[in-house]
C-alpha cells in the first residue's frame, strides 16, 4: 500500500458552505439554482440534520406525554431540539418534521396503519397544524434550523394520478400552501409525500421505475406543485421517488417543473447495492458488495437526478444490530471497503449536492456526550461502527469545526481489504474506486477532496470518471496516477487486467443468494440451500463481441447445478438457465440466449452471471471464459502474455509464468500450462 505520513492539519474543502446559524442570527434565504441549493450570496449549501415525529409513541413510546396534550408535546419536543443542539452540541442545520396522523385522525377510528387515510379529519388537521406543527416549525427556525415538513402518514402501496391518496395530498398541501406563517417563512420547506411504493403507470400497470411509471409519478407530483404555486407558495419543495423513495433515474428524463424543486431521498443499508448487515457477524464476513456495488446502484439511481437538481436525504441511519436502536442495521465500515456509513459519505460528498440526516431517535442524539469508548465496551453512542459517533464528527467537519489532527493519508482502492498491487485485477463491467482517505485516530475515515489525475494507455478497456476506474472490455492496460498533497506531487504506475470471471476472493461471491463458501486455491465453491454464487457487474457487462460463453467443471455438474445469466440488475428477474445435468461442460450461445419465459436476452448488458445449486455440495471450476469458437477449451490456461518483468495475470486472475524460477510470491500460478500453488 502506498502510504503518505503527514504532520499537517488537513483542511477538507468540499466546495459547499455550512448553513450554520444560532438563535437570533439571521438565517440565509435558500433557493434552488440548477443542481444546487444556494444562498443569496451564490454559495452552494448542503443541509445536515435529524428528524422529529410528534406522537406519543414516537416520543419515547408514550412515556413522556399522551392524550392529545399539546402543551406537554411542545415542551418535550422543544427540549429535545435544545438537547440535540445545545447540550449534545450537534452541528445540525435542518430538521425534518412529521405531521403525524395521531393529531389529524378521528380518535377511536380503527386504521390499518399510517397509510390508511380513512380516519383523516380535515378540521382536526387544521386545528393541530395551527397549535402543534407551526409552533414547532417556528421554534426550530428560531434555533437556527431549516425545517422540512412532511404530510401525515405514509403512502399506500399503490397510488395513482387522480386516486384517493392523490386527492388527500392535494387537500393537505392545498391548505398548507395558503398559510402565511409557513409560506412567508423562507426557512420552511415541504416534502410532498413519504415513501411512495408503486404507481399506476401511463400504461395502466402498477409498478416502479418503468418509463410509464416514471411519467405518471412526475404528473402525480406536478399537479400538487402546481396547486401550491397557484396559491402563492414559493417555498422549496422536495419530491419523493417510488420504491420507498429509492428510485430517481426517471426524474432525470421527466423532471417536475418549476422553481425551487429538489428531490427527497431515503437511503438505508441494503439499498442501492449497499451492505445491509455487519459483514463480521450474521453472514461470516463476506456479505454485501461493499463500495463498488453501492457506487453502481448510486450511479444508476441517484446521480442522473443529482445532475439536474439538489437532493436531500430525509431518512437514513445505521447501527450494529446488537444495539436494536436504529431502523438500518449495518456498520460504518471503511470507505471503499465493506460497511454502509463510510461509503455513503464518500458517495454523497463526491456527488456534491446531497444533503443528509440521521433518522435515529432524536432523544438518543440528545444524550450523545462525545466521549470516546474503548473496544469491547463500546456503546451505541461511541461505537465507531455506529452512525452517531461517525456522523457527529462528519457534521463537525462540514461545519468547519476543529477536528483531531490527521495522522496519515493513504491512497486506497476498492475493494478495500483486498490488496491492490501495481498489477491488479478488475472485474469487467464493474468499477474500482480510488480515494485519498485520512486517519484522524478516532476510528472514522475522512475523505480528502483532492484531484487524482489519471492517464490510461487503452481507454477502450478502462476509463476513469474522477472517482472510479470502469472496466469496459476484457483485456490489459496500464495507467499513470498522480496527485498532490501538501504541495508534494506523488505518482504511481499501475497495470490493470480486466476480466469478467476472476476466480479470486473479493470478486467471486458465493453469497449472491444464501450463504455459501469459496476456496480460491482450488476454485471450489458451494452455495447455501437453493443458493447462488458468481459475479455481479454493477454497470453491466458487455459480451456482444463474443459468440459463446464456455464453462468447464472439474467435477460433475450434479445437485441441480445450472449456469445462469441475467440481463437486468435483479436476482429475481428472468435469466437464461443452462443445466449441467451431470456433465462438465456448458456452452452458452450469447447471440441466442432465451429465458425460461421465452424472452430473448441482450448480451450487451449482463448484470449477474453464476451458478445456482440445491446446496450442500462442492463444485470445482476448471475454466469459464468467452470465445468465438464453441470448441475452444484452452482459454484460461494460456490466455496471457508474459511480461518482461516476470509473471502477469491471465484473464481469470491467475499469474502465468514461463518457468518455476519466476514463482516467488505465494499464490496460484500457471507454469507451462500447468497450475501450481506456491
Amino acid at each position: 500500500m502506498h502510504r503518505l505520513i503527514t504532520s499537517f492539519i488537513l483542511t477538507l474543502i468540499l466546495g459547499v458552505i455550512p448553513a450554520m446559524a444560532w438563535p437570533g442570527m439571521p438565517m440565509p434565504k435558500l433557493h434552488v439554482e440548477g443542481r444546487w441549493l444556494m444562498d443569496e450570496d451564490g454559495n452552494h449549501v448542503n443541509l445536515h440534520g435529524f428528524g422529529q415525529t410528534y406522537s406519543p409513541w414516537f416520543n419515547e413510546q408514550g412515556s413522556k406525554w399522551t392524550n392529545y396534550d399539546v402543551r406537554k408535546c411542545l415542551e418535550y419536543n422543544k427540549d429535545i431540539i435544545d438537547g440535540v443542539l445545545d447540550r449534545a452540541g450537534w452541528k445540525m442545520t435542518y430538521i425534518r418534521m412529521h405531521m403525524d396522523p395521531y393529531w389529524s385522525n378521528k380518535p377511536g377510528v380503527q386504521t390499518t396503519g399510517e397509510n390508511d387515510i380513512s380516519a383523516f379529519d380535515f378540521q382536526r388537521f387544521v386545528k393541530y397544524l395551527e397549535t402543534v406543527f407551526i409552533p414547532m416549525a417556528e421554534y426550530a427556525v428560531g434555533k437556527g434550523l431549516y425545517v422540512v415538513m412532511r404530510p401525515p402518514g405514509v403512502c399506500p402501496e399503490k397510488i395513482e394520478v387522480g386516486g384517493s391518496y392523490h386527492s388527500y395530498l392535494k387537500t393537505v398541501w392545498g391548505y398548507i400552501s395558503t398559510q402565511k406563517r409557513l409560506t412567508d417563512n423562507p426557512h420552511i420547506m415541504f416534502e410532498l409525500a413519504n415513501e411512495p411504493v408503486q404507481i399506476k403507470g401511463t400504461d395502466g400497470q402498477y409498478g416502479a421505475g418503468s418509463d410509464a411509471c416514471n411519467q405518471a409519478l412526475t404528473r402525480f407530483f406536478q399537479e400538487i406543485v402546481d396547486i401550491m404555486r397557484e396559491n402563492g407558495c414559493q417555498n422549496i419543495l422536495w419530491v419523493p421517488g417510488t420504491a420507498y423513495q429509492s428510485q430517481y433515474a426517471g426524474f432525470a428524463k421527466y423532471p417536475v417543473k418549476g422553481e425551487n424543486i429538489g428531490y427527497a431521498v431515503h437511503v438505508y443499508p441494503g439499498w442501492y447495492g449497499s451492505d445491509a448487515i455487519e459483514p463480521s457477524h450474521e453472514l461470516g464476513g463476506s456479505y454485501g458488495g461493499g463500495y463498488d456495488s453501492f457506487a453502481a446502484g448510486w450511479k444508476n439511481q441517484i446521480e442522473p437526478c443529482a445532475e439536474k437538481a439538489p437532493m436531500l436525504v430525509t431518512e437514513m441511519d445505521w447501527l450494529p444490530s446488537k444495539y436494536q436502536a436504529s431502523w438500518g442495521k449495518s456498520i460504518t465500515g471503511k470507505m471503499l471497503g465493506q460497511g454502509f456509513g463510510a461509503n455513503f459519505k464518500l458517495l454523497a460528498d463526491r456527488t456534491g449536492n446531497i444533503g443528509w440526516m440521521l433518522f435515529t431517535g432524536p432523544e438518543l442524539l440528545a444524550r450523545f456526550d462525545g466521549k470516546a469508548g474503548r473496544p469491547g465496551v463500546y456503546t451505541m453512542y461511541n461505537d465507531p461502527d455506529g452512525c452517531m459517533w461517525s456522523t457527529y464528527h462528519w457534521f463537525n467537519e462540514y461545519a468547519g469545526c476543529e477536528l483531531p489532527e490527521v495522522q496519515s493519508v493513504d491512497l486506497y482502492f476498492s475493494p478495500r481489504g483486498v490488496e491492490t498491487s501495481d498489477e491488479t485485477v478488475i472485474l469487467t463491467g464493474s468499477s474500482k474506486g480510488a480515494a485519498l482517505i485520512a486517519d484522524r485516530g478516532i476510528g472514522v475515515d475522512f475523505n480528502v477532496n483532492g484531484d487524482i489525475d489519471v492517464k490510461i494507455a487503452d481507454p477502450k478497456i478502462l476509463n476513469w470518471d474522477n472517482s472510479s476506474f470502469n472496466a469496459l472490455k476484457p483485456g490489459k492496460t496500464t495507467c499513470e496516477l498522480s496527485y498532490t498533497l501538501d504541495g508534494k506531487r506523488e505518482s504511481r504506475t499501475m497495470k490493470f487486467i480486466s476480466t469478467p470471471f476472476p476466480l479470486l476472493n473479493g470478486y467471486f461471491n458465493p453469497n449472491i443468494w444464501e450463504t455459501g463458501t469459496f476456496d480460491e486455491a482450488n476454485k471450489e465453491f458451494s452455495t447455501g440451500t437453493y443458493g447462488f454464487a458468481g459475479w455481479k457487474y454493477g454497470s453491466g457487462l458487455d459480451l456482444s463481441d463474443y459468440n459463446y460463453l464456455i464453462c468447464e467443471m472439474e467435477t460433475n455438474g450434479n445437485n441441480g447445478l445450472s449456469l445462469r445469466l441475467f440481463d437486468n440488475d435483479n436476482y429475481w428477474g428472468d435469466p437464461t438457465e443452462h443445466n449441467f445435468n451431470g456433465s462438465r461442460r456448458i456452452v452458452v450461445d450469447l447471440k441466442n440466449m432465451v429465458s425460461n419465459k421465452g424472452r430473448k436476452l441482450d448480451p450487451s448488458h449482463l448484470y449477474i452471471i453464476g451458478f445456482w445449486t440445491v446446496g450442500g455440495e462442492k463444485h470445482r471450476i476448471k475454466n469459464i471464459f468467452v470465445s468465438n469458437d464453441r470448441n475452444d477449451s484452452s482459454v484460461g490456461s494460456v490466455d496471457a502474455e508474459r511480461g518482461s518483468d516476470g509473471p502477469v495475470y491471465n484473464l481469470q486472475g491467475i499469474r502465468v509464468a514461463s518457468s518455476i524460477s519466476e514463482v516467488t510470491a505465494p499464490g496460484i500460478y500457471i507454469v507451462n500450462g500447468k497450475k501450481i500453488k506456491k
Side-chain angles (χ1 to χ4, degrees):
M1 173 65 64
H2 184 68
R3 188 167 183 81
L4 301 172
I5 305 299
T6 65
S7 59
F8 59 93
I9 299 294
L10 186 71
T11 301
L12 178 66
I13 303 173
L14 292 175
V16 294
I17 67 164
M20 300 301 291
W22 52 84
M25 175 185 175
M27 292 170 64
K29 181 179 178 180
L30 304 180
H31 67 280
V32 173
E33 188 173 322
R35 67 185 296 262
W36 296 102
L37 191 63
M38 302 181 72
D39 67 14
E40 293 169 296
D41 293 325
N43 297 302
H44 298 164
V45 174
N46 285 333
L47 300 175
H48 303 101
F50 66 108
Q52 275 191 323
T53 296
Y54 305 120
S55 73
W57 174 252
F58 284 104
N59 291 172
E60 302 188 59
Q61 291 76 53
S63 65
K64 300 301 179 181
W65 62 274
T66 190
N67 198 31
Y68 303 100
D69 191 326
V70 171
R71 181 180 63 83
K72 288 186 177 179
C73 172
L74 296 182
E75 286 179 352
Y76 170 80
N77 283 288
K78 289 178 181 179
D79 182 69
I80 289 296
I81 292 176
D82 294 346
V84 171
L85 299 179
D86 302 332
R87 296 191 294 274
W90 285 87
K91 304 302 179 186
M92 302 290 196
T93 55
Y94 94 92
I95 183 171
R96 184 213 198 202
M97 293 184 166
H98 180 196
M99 297 181 284
D100 194 276
Y102 170 82
W103 298 99
S104 52
N105 281 357
K106 295 177 183 177
V109 176
Q110 295 296 313
T111 59
T112 57
E114 284 189 276
N115 60 5
D116 185 347
I117 58 174
S118 62
F120 177 71
D121 184 322
F122 178 72
Q123 294 305 319
R124 286 181 63 85
F125 174 71
V126 169
K127 175 182 178 179
Y128 290 112
L129 177 69
E130 182 74 19
T131 57
V132 176
F133 305 133
I134 292 179
M136 284 304 308
E138 291 175 335
Y139 184 80
V141 170
K143 297 290 291 187
L145 293 170
Y146 295 87
V147 174
V148 176
M149 302 178 75
R150 57 161 277 204
V154 302
C155 290
E157 183 176 357
K158 295 180 178 180
I159 60 175
E160 63 179 286
V161 175
S164 59
Y165 197 76
H166 199 201
S167 297
Y168 162 76
L169 289 178
K170 289 179 178 179
T171 298
V172 169
W173 293 120
Y175 181 75
I176 285 177
S177 61
T178 65
Q179 301 305 294
K180 295 300 184 181
R181 288 171 68 184
L182 297 175
T183 60
D184 287 349
N185 192 328
H187 311 304
I188 294 175
M189 316 173 194
F190 305 114
E191 182 179 357
L192 298 186
N194 185 73
E195 296 197 340
V197 186
Q198 297 184 57
I199 189 167
K200 188 176 184 179
T202 55
D203 59 358
Q205 301 299 311
Y206 284 97
S210 70
D211 195 70
C213 289
N214 291 336
Q215 291 184 63
L217 186 68
T218 295
R219 180 182 170 189
F220 185 97
F221 286 112
Q222 188 70 62
E223 292 186 7
I224 295 171
V225 168
D226 291 346
I227 289 172
M228 299 179 75
R229 297 311 192 210
E230 288 169 5
N231 288 338
C233 171
Q234 300 305 316
N235 305 61
I236 293 171
L237 307 180
W238 299 99
V239 179
T242 47
Y244 302 96
Q245 286 184 239
S246 70
Q247 293 190 340
Y248 291 85
F251 288 124
K253 185 176 181 181
Y254 305 110
V256 176
K257 297 179 181 179
E259 302 291 326
N260 285 335
I261 302 293
Y263 295 91
V265 185
H266 290 182
V267 186
Y268 281 110
W271 295 19
Y272 309 102
S274 64
D275 285 347
I277 61 171
E278 306 94 303
S280 60
H281 295 283
E282 285 89 335
L283 290 180
S286 57
Y287 178 80
Y291 171 83
D292 291 328
S293 177
F294 196 175
W298 186 270
K299 184 175 183 179
N300 290 337
Q301 286 297 339
I302 300 300
E303 289 185 3
C305 185
E307 290 177 357
K308 307 289 185 179
M311 305 186 78
L312 185 67
V313 176
T314 57
E315 281 191 25
M316 181 185 69
D317 68 357
W318 70 92
L319 276 169
S321 57
K322 64 182 179 182
Y323 296 121
Q324 293 300 305
S326 65
W327 299 93
K329 304 297 189 291
S330 191
I331 63 172
T332 303
K334 296 295 183 181
M335 292 177 180
L336 300 177
Q338 287 195 296
F340 173 81
N343 285 325
F344 165 80
K345 180 181 185 291
L346 182 58
L347 290 167
D349 288 351
R350 282 178 159 172
T351 305
N353 59 343
I354 308 291
W356 57 281
M357 58 95 82
L358 280 187
F359 203 47
T360 299
E363 72 278 6
L364 301 180
L365 301 179
R367 294 172 191 147
F368 183 86
D369 62 12
K371 295 179 180 178
R374 292 184 292 109
V377 290
Y378 285 133
T379 69
M380 73 176 78
Y381 300 100
N382 55 37
D383 189 338
D385 266 331
C387 59
M388 283 188 275
W389 179 259
S390 54
T391 298
Y392 183 85
H393 291 92
W394 289 335
F395 282 8
N396 279 348
E397 175 193 44
Y398 292 138
C401 299
E402 185 175 346
L403 296 168
E405 184 173 353
V406 171
Q407 298 184 0
S408 66
V409 179
D410 288 342
L411 174 63
Y412 287 101
F413 297 87
S414 62
R416 191 166 166 184
V418 178
E419 183 68 20
T420 298
S421 67
D422 288 337
E423 183 176 274
T424 190
V425 171
I426 182 170
L427 183 69
T428 312
S430 69
S431 301
K432 178 182 284 290
L436 296 165
I437 299 171
D439 176 12
R440 295 182 180 270
I442 57 174
V444 180
D445 282 347
F446 292 82
N447 47 305
V448 179
N449 187 43
D451 288 336
I452 303 175
D453 296 323
V454 177
K455 295 181 180 179
I456 298 173
D458 189 344
K460 293 181 180 180
I461 293 174
L462 193 75
N463 71 16
W464 168 253
D465 63 7
N466 295 320
S467 64
S468 299
F469 293 100
N470 304 295
L472 309 177
K473 298 175 66 175
K476 305 167 198 162
T477 190
T478 60
C479 72
E480 300 286 338
L481 292 81
S482 58
Y483 44 91
T484 301
L485 277 178
D486 197 27
K488 183 180 179 181
R489 196 65 175 170
E490 302 287 336
S491 62
R492 180 175 180 179
T493 301
M494 297 183 65
K495 298 178 181 178
F496 282 96
I497 298 90
S498 171
T499 170
F501 309 115
L503 293 166
L504 300 171
N505 291 321
Y507 296 95
F508 185 88
N509 184 355
N511 310 312
I512 291 177
W513 185 252
E514 297 296 344
T515 307
T517 65
F518 176 59
D519 178 354
E520 177 183 307
N522 293 309
K523 299 191 288 187
E524 187 174 75
F525 72 92
S526 67
T527 73
T529 303
Y530 307 120
F532 192 87
W535 301 269
K536 297 185 73 175
Y537 310 94
S539 56
L541 173 64
D542 183 0
L543 295 183
S544 58
D545 288 343
Y546 300 92
N547 292 329
Y548 304 103
L549 187 156
I550 301 171
C551 180
E552 299 174 337
M553 306 296 294
E554 296 278 10
T555 52
N556 291 333
N558 296 317
N559 204 27
L561 180 69
S562 68
L563 181 68
R564 300 185 180 184
L565 293 81
F566 300 74
D567 65 349
N568 51 64
D569 194 11
N570 177 12
Y571 176 71
W572 297 106
D574 183 27
T576 181
E577 301 179 10
H578 301 267
N579 297 314
F580 281 84
N581 293 325
S583 68
R584 296 192 179 190
R585 193 171 194 267
I586 286 286
V587 178
V588 179
D589 185 345
L590 294 170
K591 306 296 187 187
N592 297 288
M593 294 184 293
V594 178
S595 74
N596 285 342
K597 296 180 180 180
R599 183 180 62 87
K600 185 175 175 59
L601 273 69
D602 186 346
S604 69
H605 53 270
L606 299 169
Y607 291 92
I608 307 172
I609 297 177
F611 304 90
W612 183 92
T613 83
V614 172
E617 183 174 316
K618 293 183 178 180
H619 303 270
R620 187 175 300 172
I621 303 169
K622 180 180 180 181
N623 286 321
I624 178 168
F625 54 94
V626 287
S627 176
N628 287 318
D629 179 2
R630 68 176 301 122
N631 298 313
D632 195 346
S633 62
S634 61
V635 178
S637 61
V638 299
D639 188 68
E641 296 178 2
R642 179 177 171 274
S644 59
D645 54 350
V648 298
Y649 288 106
N650 72 0
L651 294 186
Q652 283 190 348
I654 300 175
R655 284 183 174 267
V656 176
S658 62
S659 68
I660 195 67
S661 64
E662 293 181 347
V663 177
T664 55
I668 306 299
Y669 291 79
I670 298 292
V671 181
N672 295 325
K674 295 182 180 180
K675 184 180 73 172
I676 67 168
K677 179 181 179 182
K678 171 74 172 180

